[in-house]
Amino acid sequence: MLLGRFLLATEPIHDVHVARGHLETPKDGSHHFRSTLGRWPTPSSTGAVKARLCPNGWGDRLLSLLAFATLASLDGAQRLLVYWPEHEREGAALDAVNDLSRAARHFVLPRHIRVTNDWAAFTAEPAFWYDNDGPRSQDLYPKAISRVFKRPLADVMRAYDVVRVDLVEPSDAIRRALEKQLPTHFSAVHLRRGDKIRQRGQVGFETNDRISIDSTELLELQERTVRAMPAEGTLLLCSDDTSAAAALRASLFPRSVLTLRYESTTHVDTSFLDFFALSRASTILLSQRWSAFSFTACLVGKVSCEYHIA
């Protein structure tokens, strides 16, 4: 199944360079992300808007940020304030997303976007509030944005295509790590397991059979993944399951498969390193039914990327 980025665009995709900046943490607990270059807002933009991000993982949060940045661009807003909520699920693996001060070390946003986890400060901000209940995951794509927020679809798609390539940049630590380890051209496999593997009788957020698989389907999924892999070129493997990644590497021997080295001294969370590595791939193959994490990496990357689902 192919879900190329071109499906979301109405004009050709161009490579765009965004200068990296620095993070300021003011006394009110919010986080200002500064960069020196950006397409939005335009010189004629006025006013401010605010929105609450989707309370799921990094992929859904970034998709909701992209949706609201698109709306802000369409509405000519000068600034966008977004609230960073607690994750709706509990678990130690979610700490890097739950803790804004920890997450903020890993990425840079344009200077006109401000992020806060202070609910009182957010609600007190005198700005137009797009959606005080927060978006659902299915409301984060152009057709849904057009329908839910009553904007012409053609306008939404044009703004979406402009905003996404300037939305997020890696921190300097991640950028340096990737420049050391990644070749110029490569394909990637996102081996998504973890909470997207359903056990018999399990109920919960990730048990939807449209976004996760049953444990009895793992062998078939691995076989499909191997068959769908590019036959040539450098292959990067990213996974949230070290044993599943090791098994896949073994099945591909003697082919050389690249995995990233994580240096504990850099204080970089591995998931963010994987995300920005995936965003540089020319092709991403997802080994799962669905993952907003790798799909968003494909969407916001600076290179034209094809997204395949095994």
Short mmCIF file of all heavy atoms in Angstrom, two decimals, residues 162-216:
data_model
loop_
_atom_site.label_atom_id
_atom_site.label_comp_id
_atom_site.label_asym_id
_atom_site.label_seq_id
_atom_site.Cartn_x
_atom_site.Cartn_y
_atom_site.Cartn_z
N VAL A 162 2.64 23.98 2.24
CA VAL A 162 3.66 24.98 2.55
C VAL A 162 4.13 24.85 3.99
O VAL A 162 5.34 24.83 4.27
CB VAL A 162 3.11 26.40 2.29
CG1 VAL A 162 4.03 27.45 2.89
CG2 VAL A 162 2.93 26.64 0.80
N VAL A 163 3.19 24.73 4.91
CA VAL A 163 3.51 24.75 6.34
C VAL A 163 4.31 23.52 6.77
O VAL A 163 5.23 23.62 7.59
CB VAL A 163 2.23 24.87 7.17
CG1 VAL A 163 2.50 24.66 8.65
CG2 VAL A 163 1.59 26.24 6.96
N ARG A 164 4.00 22.36 6.21
CA ARG A 164 4.58 21.11 6.72
C ARG A 164 6.10 21.06 6.59
O ARG A 164 6.78 20.50 7.45
CB ARG A 164 3.96 19.91 6.02
CG ARG A 164 4.24 19.84 4.54
CD ARG A 164 3.60 18.62 3.89
NE ARG A 164 3.80 18.66 2.45
CZ ARG A 164 4.94 18.30 1.85
NH1 ARG A 164 5.94 17.87 2.58
NH2 ARG A 164 5.07 18.38 0.55
N VAL A 165 6.67 21.64 5.52
CA VAL A 165 8.11 21.53 5.32
C VAL A 165 8.90 22.48 6.22
O VAL A 165 10.11 22.36 6.34
CB VAL A 165 8.50 21.75 3.85
CG1 VAL A 165 7.99 20.64 2.98
CG2 VAL A 165 8.01 23.10 3.34
N ASP A 166 8.23 23.44 6.85
CA ASP A 166 8.89 24.37 7.77
C ASP A 166 8.49 24.12 9.22
O ASP A 166 8.81 24.92 10.09
CB ASP A 166 8.53 25.82 7.41
CG ASP A 166 9.20 26.28 6.13
OD1 ASP A 166 10.25 25.71 5.78
OD2 ASP A 166 8.67 27.19 5.48
N LEU A 167 7.78 23.03 9.49
CA LEU A 167 7.14 22.88 10.80
C LEU A 167 8.11 22.52 11.91
O LEU A 167 8.02 23.06 13.01
CB LEU A 167 6.04 21.81 10.70
CG LEU A 167 5.20 21.64 11.96
CD1 LEU A 167 4.35 22.89 12.19
CD2 LEU A 167 4.29 20.41 11.84
N VAL A 168 9.02 21.58 11.66
CA VAL A 168 9.84 21.07 12.76
C VAL A 168 11.24 20.74 12.25
O VAL A 168 11.41 20.27 11.13
CB VAL A 168 9.18 19.82 13.39
CG1 VAL A 168 9.05 18.68 12.38
CG2 VAL A 168 9.93 19.36 14.63
N GLU A 169 12.22 21.03 13.09
CA GLU A 169 13.62 20.72 12.81
C GLU A 169 14.21 19.96 14.00
O GLU A 169 13.76 20.13 15.14
CB GLU A 169 14.42 22.01 12.60
CG GLU A 169 14.10 22.72 11.31
CD GLU A 169 14.70 22.01 10.11
OE1 GLU A 169 15.86 21.59 10.19
OE2 GLU A 169 13.99 21.88 9.11
N PRO A 170 15.22 19.12 13.77
CA PRO A 170 15.86 18.43 14.91
C PRO A 170 16.74 19.37 15.71
O PRO A 170 17.18 20.41 15.21
CB PRO A 170 16.71 17.35 14.21
CG PRO A 170 17.04 17.94 12.88
CD PRO A 170 15.82 18.73 12.48
N SER A 171 16.98 19.03 16.95
CA SER A 171 17.93 19.77 17.77
C SER A 171 19.33 19.62 17.17
O SER A 171 19.58 18.73 16.35
CB SER A 171 17.93 19.24 19.20
OG SER A 171 18.42 17.90 19.22
N ASP A 172 20.25 20.45 17.61
CA ASP A 172 21.62 20.37 17.11
C ASP A 172 22.26 19.02 17.44
O ASP A 172 23.01 18.47 16.63
CB ASP A 172 22.47 21.50 17.71
CG ASP A 172 22.14 22.85 17.10
OD1 ASP A 172 21.58 22.88 15.99
OD2 ASP A 172 22.44 23.88 17.73
N ALA A 173 21.96 18.47 18.62
CA ALA A 173 22.53 17.18 19.01
C ALA A 173 22.06 16.07 18.08
O ALA A 173 22.85 15.22 17.66
CB ALA A 173 22.16 16.86 20.46
N ILE A 174 20.78 16.07 17.74
CA ILE A 174 20.26 15.05 16.83
C ILE A 174 20.80 15.26 15.43
O ILE A 174 21.18 14.30 14.75
CB ILE A 174 18.72 15.08 16.83
CG1 ILE A 174 18.19 14.58 18.17
CG2 ILE A 174 18.16 14.23 15.69
CD1 ILE A 174 16.69 14.57 18.28
N ARG A 175 20.85 16.51 15.00
CA ARG A 175 21.36 16.78 13.65
C ARG A 175 22.80 16.29 13.50
O ARG A 175 23.15 15.66 12.49
CB ARG A 175 21.29 18.29 13.37
CG ARG A 175 21.85 18.69 12.02
CD ARG A 175 21.68 20.19 11.78
NE ARG A 175 22.18 20.97 12.87
CZ ARG A 175 23.46 21.28 13.05
NH1 ARG A 175 24.37 20.84 12.20
NH2 ARG A 175 23.84 22.03 14.08
N ARG A 176 23.63 16.55 14.51
CA ARG A 176 25.03 16.10 14.44
C ARG A 176 25.12 14.58 14.42
O ARG A 176 25.92 14.00 13.67
CB ARG A 176 25.82 16.67 15.63
CG ARG A 176 26.11 18.16 15.53
CD ARG A 176 27.13 18.57 16.56
NE ARG A 176 26.64 18.38 17.93
CZ ARG A 176 26.01 19.31 18.64
NH1 ARG A 176 25.79 20.51 18.10
NH2 ARG A 176 25.61 19.08 19.86
N ALA A 177 24.29 13.91 15.22
CA ALA A 177 24.31 12.45 15.27
C ALA A 177 23.91 11.85 13.92
O ALA A 177 24.51 10.88 13.45
CB ALA A 177 23.37 11.94 16.37
N LEU A 178 22.91 12.44 13.28
CA LEU A 178 22.44 11.92 11.99
C LEU A 178 23.45 12.19 10.89
O LEU A 178 23.65 11.35 10.00
CB LEU A 178 21.09 12.54 11.64
CG LEU A 178 19.94 12.21 12.58
CD1 LEU A 178 18.65 12.86 12.09
CD2 LEU A 178 19.74 10.70 12.72
N GLU A 179 24.08 13.35 10.92
CA GLU A 179 25.08 13.67 9.90
C GLU A 179 26.27 12.71 9.97
O GLU A 179 26.90 12.40 8.95
CB GLU A 179 25.54 15.12 10.05
CG GLU A 179 24.48 16.12 9.63
CD GLU A 179 24.88 17.56 9.90
OE1 GLU A 179 25.91 17.76 10.60
OE2 GLU A 179 24.18 18.48 9.43
N LYS A 180 26.59 12.22 11.17
CA LYS A 180 27.69 11.28 11.34
C LYS A 180 27.32 9.88 10.85
O LYS A 180 28.18 9.15 10.35
CB LYS A 180 28.09 11.20 12.81
CG LYS A 180 28.80 12.43 13.35
CD LYS A 180 29.14 12.22 14.82
CE LYS A 180 29.85 13.43 15.41
NZ LYS A 180 30.15 13.24 16.86
N GLN A 181 26.06 9.49 10.98
CA GLN A 181 25.68 8.10 10.80
C GLN A 181 24.92 7.78 9.52
O GLN A 181 24.93 6.63 9.07
CB GLN A 181 24.83 7.63 12.00
CG GLN A 181 25.55 7.72 13.33
CD GLN A 181 24.72 7.13 14.46
OE1 GLN A 181 24.26 6.00 14.38
NE2 GLN A 181 24.52 7.91 15.51
N LEU A 182 24.24 8.75 8.94
CA LEU A 182 23.37 8.46 7.80
C LEU A 182 24.04 8.81 6.47
O LEU A 182 24.68 9.85 6.36
CB LEU A 182 22.05 9.23 7.92
CG LEU A 182 21.10 8.82 9.03
CD1 LEU A 182 19.85 9.71 9.00
CD2 LEU A 182 20.70 7.35 8.93
N PRO A 183 23.84 7.98 5.46
CA PRO A 183 24.29 8.34 4.11
C PRO A 183 23.35 9.37 3.50
O PRO A 183 22.30 9.69 4.07
CB PRO A 183 24.23 7.01 3.37
CG PRO A 183 23.13 6.27 4.05
CD PRO A 183 23.21 6.65 5.51
N THR A 184 23.70 9.86 2.35
CA THR A 184 22.87 10.86 1.68
C THR A 184 21.54 10.27 1.22
O THR A 184 20.48 10.89 1.37
CB THR A 184 23.61 11.46 0.47
OG1 THR A 184 24.85 12.01 0.91
CG2 THR A 184 22.77 12.55 -0.19
N HIS A 185 21.59 9.06 0.67
CA HIS A 185 20.38 8.42 0.16
C HIS A 185 20.20 7.05 0.83
O HIS A 185 21.14 6.26 0.90
CB HIS A 185 20.46 8.23 -1.36
CG HIS A 185 20.67 9.51 -2.12
ND1 HIS A 185 19.68 10.46 -2.25
CD2 HIS A 185 21.76 10.00 -2.76
CE1 HIS A 185 20.15 11.47 -2.95
NE2 HIS A 185 21.41 11.23 -3.27
N PHE A 186 18.99 6.80 1.33
CA PHE A 186 18.71 5.51 1.97
C PHE A 186 17.19 5.30 2.06
O PHE A 186 16.41 6.24 1.97
CB PHE A 186 19.32 5.44 3.37
CG PHE A 186 18.75 6.42 4.36
CD1 PHE A 186 17.72 6.06 5.21
CD2 PHE A 186 19.23 7.72 4.41
CE1 PHE A 186 17.19 6.97 6.10
CE2 PHE A 186 18.71 8.65 5.30
CZ PHE A 186 17.68 8.27 6.15
N SER A 187 16.81 4.04 2.22
CA SER A 187 15.44 3.67 2.50
C SER A 187 15.36 3.24 3.96
O SER A 187 16.38 2.89 4.57
CB SER A 187 14.98 2.54 1.59
OG SER A 187 15.03 2.92 0.24
N ALA A 188 14.17 3.26 4.52
CA ALA A 188 14.01 2.92 5.94
C ALA A 188 12.85 1.96 6.15
O ALA A 188 11.86 1.99 5.41
CB ALA A 188 13.79 4.19 6.76
N VAL A 189 13.00 1.12 7.17
CA VAL A 189 11.91 0.25 7.62
C VAL A 189 11.57 0.65 9.04
O VAL A 189 12.45 0.73 9.91
CB VAL A 189 12.32 -1.24 7.58
CG1 VAL A 189 11.20 -2.11 8.17
CG2 VAL A 189 12.62 -1.67 6.16
N HIS A 190 10.28 0.94 9.28
CA HIS A 190 9.82 1.24 10.64
C HIS A 190 9.11 0.00 11.16
O HIS A 190 7.99 -0.31 10.78
CB HIS A 190 8.86 2.44 10.63
CG HIS A 190 8.37 2.81 11.99
ND1 HIS A 190 7.13 3.39 12.21
CD2 HIS A 190 8.93 2.66 13.22
CE1 HIS A 190 6.97 3.60 13.49
NE2 HIS A 190 8.04 3.17 14.14
N LEU A 191 9.79 -0.71 12.04
CA LEU A 191 9.28 -1.95 12.61
C LEU A 191 8.52 -1.59 13.89
O LEU A 191 9.09 -1.55 14.97
CB LEU A 191 10.44 -2.90 12.91
CG LEU A 191 10.13 -4.37 13.09
CD1 LEU A 191 9.69 -5.00 11.76
CD2 LEU A 191 11.36 -5.11 13.62
N ARG A 192 7.23 -1.29 13.76
CA ARG A 192 6.42 -0.81 14.90
C ARG A 192 5.76 -2.00 15.58
O ARG A 192 4.93 -2.69 14.99
CB ARG A 192 5.38 0.18 14.39
CG ARG A 192 4.47 0.74 15.48
CD ARG A 192 5.23 1.63 16.46
NE ARG A 192 4.30 2.41 17.27
CZ ARG A 192 3.78 1.99 18.43
NH1 ARG A 192 4.09 0.80 18.90
NH2 ARG A 192 2.95 2.77 19.10
N ARG A 193 6.13 -2.21 16.83
CA ARG A 193 5.56 -3.32 17.60
C ARG A 193 4.99 -2.75 18.91
O ARG A 193 4.04 -2.01 18.89
CB ARG A 193 6.64 -4.39 17.86
CG ARG A 193 7.17 -5.03 16.57
CD ARG A 193 6.11 -5.87 15.89
NE ARG A 193 6.63 -6.55 14.70
CZ ARG A 193 6.51 -6.12 13.48
NH1 ARG A 193 5.90 -4.95 13.25
NH2 ARG A 193 6.96 -6.82 12.45
N GLY A 194 5.56 -3.10 20.04
CA GLY A 194 5.14 -2.53 21.32
C GLY A 194 3.65 -2.64 21.58
O GLY A 194 3.07 -3.73 21.50
N ASP A 195 3.01 -1.49 21.87
CA ASP A 195 1.59 -1.50 22.23
C ASP A 195 0.67 -1.65 21.03
O ASP A 195 -0.55 -1.62 21.17
CB ASP A 195 1.22 -0.24 23.00
CG ASP A 195 1.56 1.03 22.24
OD1 ASP A 195 2.11 0.93 21.13
OD2 ASP A 195 1.26 2.13 22.76
N LYS A 196 1.23 -1.81 19.83
CA LYS A 196 0.39 -2.07 18.65
C LYS A 196 0.30 -3.56 18.33
O LYS A 196 -0.13 -3.94 17.24
CB LYS A 196 0.92 -1.30 17.43
CG LYS A 196 0.56 0.19 17.48
CD LYS A 196 0.91 0.88 16.18
CE LYS A 196 0.55 2.35 16.22
NZ LYS A 196 -0.90 2.59 16.20
N ILE A 197 0.70 -4.41 19.26
CA ILE A 197 0.50 -5.85 19.13
C ILE A 197 -0.57 -6.26 20.12
O ILE A 197 -0.41 -6.16 21.33
CB ILE A 197 1.81 -6.63 19.42
CG1 ILE A 197 2.94 -6.13 18.52
CG2 ILE A 197 1.58 -8.12 19.24
CD1 ILE A 197 2.66 -6.31 17.04
N ARG A 198 -1.70 -6.71 19.61
CA ARG A 198 -2.84 -7.09 20.46
C ARG A 198 -2.70 -8.54 20.93
O ARG A 198 -2.42 -9.44 20.14
CB ARG A 198 -4.16 -6.96 19.70
CG ARG A 198 -4.44 -5.60 19.14
CD ARG A 198 -5.87 -5.51 18.61
NE ARG A 198 -6.24 -6.60 17.72
CZ ARG A 198 -6.00 -6.62 16.42
NH1 ARG A 198 -5.35 -5.62 15.85
NH2 ARG A 198 -6.38 -7.63 15.66
N GLN A 199 -2.90 -8.74 22.22
CA GLN A 199 -2.97 -10.10 22.77
C GLN A 199 -4.43 -10.53 22.85
O GLN A 199 -5.35 -9.70 22.84
CB GLN A 199 -2.32 -10.14 24.15
CG GLN A 199 -0.89 -9.62 24.18
CD GLN A 199 0.05 -10.43 23.30
OE1 GLN A 199 -0.11 -11.64 23.17
NE2 GLN A 199 1.04 -9.75 22.71
N ARG A 200 -4.65 -11.83 22.94
CA ARG A 200 -6.03 -12.35 22.98
C ARG A 200 -6.79 -11.75 24.17
O ARG A 200 -6.32 -11.77 25.30
CB ARG A 200 -5.99 -13.87 23.11
CG ARG A 200 -7.38 -14.53 23.03
CD ARG A 200 -7.26 -16.03 23.18
NE ARG A 200 -6.46 -16.60 22.10
CZ ARG A 200 -6.98 -16.96 20.92
NH1 ARG A 200 -8.28 -16.79 20.70
NH2 ARG A 200 -6.20 -17.48 20.00
N GLY A 201 -7.96 -11.19 23.88
CA GLY A 201 -8.80 -10.63 24.93
C GLY A 201 -8.41 -9.23 25.38
O GLY A 201 -9.05 -8.66 26.25
N GLN A 202 -7.39 -8.67 24.80
CA GLN A 202 -6.92 -7.35 25.21
C GLN A 202 -7.88 -6.27 24.74
O GLN A 202 -8.42 -6.31 23.64
CB GLN A 202 -5.53 -7.09 24.65
CG GLN A 202 -4.93 -5.75 25.06
CD GLN A 202 -3.57 -5.52 24.44
OE1 GLN A 202 -3.08 -6.34 23.68
NE2 GLN A 202 -2.95 -4.39 24.76
N VAL A 203 -8.09 -5.27 25.58
CA VAL A 203 -8.89 -4.10 25.21
C VAL A 203 -8.07 -2.86 25.51
O VAL A 203 -7.16 -2.86 26.32
CB VAL A 203 -10.23 -4.05 25.99
CG1 VAL A 203 -11.11 -5.23 25.62
CG2 VAL A 203 -9.98 -4.02 27.49
N GLY A 204 -8.38 -1.74 24.85
CA GLY A 204 -7.67 -0.50 25.09
C GLY A 204 -7.49 0.30 23.82
O GLY A 204 -7.99 -0.07 22.75
N PHE A 205 -6.75 1.38 23.95
CA PHE A 205 -6.62 2.36 22.87
C PHE A 205 -6.07 1.76 21.59
O PHE A 205 -6.55 2.02 20.50
CB PHE A 205 -5.71 3.51 23.34
CG PHE A 205 -5.46 4.54 22.28
CD1 PHE A 205 -6.41 5.52 22.02
CD2 PHE A 205 -4.29 4.55 21.55
CE1 PHE A 205 -6.19 6.48 21.06
CE2 PHE A 205 -4.06 5.50 20.57
CZ PHE A 205 -5.02 6.47 20.33
N GLU A 206 -5.00 0.94 21.70
CA GLU A 206 -4.32 0.45 20.52
C GLU A 206 -4.87 -0.88 20.00
O GLU A 206 -4.23 -1.53 19.19
CB GLU A 206 -2.81 0.31 20.80
CG GLU A 206 -2.10 1.61 21.09
CD GLU A 206 -1.91 2.47 19.85
OE1 GLU A 206 -2.48 2.13 18.79
OE2 GLU A 206 -1.19 3.48 19.94
N THR A 207 -6.04 -1.32 20.48
CA THR A 207 -6.56 -2.61 20.05
C THR A 207 -7.43 -2.52 18.81
O THR A 207 -7.95 -3.53 18.33
CB THR A 207 -7.37 -3.27 21.19
OG1 THR A 207 -8.45 -2.40 21.56
CG2 THR A 207 -6.48 -3.52 22.40
N ASN A 208 -7.61 -1.34 18.28
CA ASN A 208 -8.36 -1.17 17.04
C ASN A 208 -7.67 -1.93 15.93
O ASN A 208 -6.47 -1.74 15.68
CB ASN A 208 -8.43 0.33 16.71
CG ASN A 208 -9.33 0.64 15.54
OD1 ASN A 208 -9.38 -0.11 14.56
ND2 ASN A 208 -10.04 1.75 15.63
N ASP A 209 -8.39 -2.81 15.23
CA ASP A 209 -7.74 -3.65 14.22
C ASP A 209 -7.37 -2.89 12.96
O ASP A 209 -6.77 -3.45 12.05
CB ASP A 209 -8.62 -4.86 13.88
CG ASP A 209 -9.97 -4.47 13.29
OD1 ASP A 209 -10.19 -3.27 13.02
OD2 ASP A 209 -10.82 -5.37 13.12
N ARG A 210 -7.69 -1.60 12.89
CA ARG A 210 -7.24 -0.79 11.75
C ARG A 210 -5.86 -0.19 11.98
O ARG A 210 -5.22 0.26 11.03
CB ARG A 210 -8.24 0.34 11.47
CG ARG A 210 -9.59 -0.14 10.97
CD ARG A 210 -10.51 1.03 10.69
NE ARG A 210 -10.73 1.83 11.89
CZ ARG A 210 -11.38 2.98 11.91
NH1 ARG A 210 -11.86 3.49 10.78
NH2 ARG A 210 -11.57 3.64 13.04
N ILE A 211 -5.39 -0.15 13.23
CA ILE A 211 -4.11 0.47 13.51
C ILE A 211 -3.15 -0.46 14.24
O ILE A 211 -2.03 -0.06 14.57
CB ILE A 211 -4.28 1.76 14.34
CG1 ILE A 211 -4.93 1.47 15.70
CG2 ILE A 211 -5.08 2.80 13.57
CD1 ILE A 211 -4.98 2.67 16.62
N SER A 212 -3.54 -1.71 14.50
CA SER A 212 -2.67 -2.64 15.19
C SER A 212 -2.94 -4.05 14.66
O SER A 212 -3.88 -4.28 13.91
CB SER A 212 -2.91 -2.60 16.71
OG SER A 212 -4.25 -2.98 17.01
N ILE A 213 -2.09 -5.01 15.05
CA ILE A 213 -2.27 -6.38 14.59
C ILE A 213 -2.35 -7.33 15.78
O ILE A 213 -1.89 -7.03 16.88
CB ILE A 213 -1.12 -6.83 13.66
CG1 ILE A 213 0.20 -6.93 14.43
CG2 ILE A 213 -0.99 -5.91 12.47
CD1 ILE A 213 1.26 -7.67 13.69
N ASP A 214 -2.94 -8.48 15.55
CA ASP A 214 -3.00 -9.54 16.56
C ASP A 214 -1.65 -10.24 16.63
O ASP A 214 -0.93 -10.34 15.63
CB ASP A 214 -4.11 -10.53 16.19
CG ASP A 214 -4.38 -11.52 17.30
OD1 ASP A 214 -3.70 -12.57 17.32
OD2 ASP A 214 -5.24 -11.25 18.14
N SER A 215 -1.30 -10.73 17.80
CA SER A 215 -0.02 -11.40 17.97
C SER A 215 0.14 -12.62 17.06
O SER A 215 1.25 -12.99 16.70
CB SER A 215 0.17 -11.82 19.44
OG SER A 215 -0.90 -12.66 19.86
N THR A 216 -0.99 -13.22 16.67
CA THR A 216 -0.92 -14.39 15.77
C THR A 216 -0.56 -14.00 14.34
O THR A 216 -0.26 -14.86 13.52
CB THR A 216 -2.27 -15.13 15.76
OG1 THR A 216 -3.29 -14.22 15.31
CG2 THR A 216 -2.63 -15.63 17.16
#
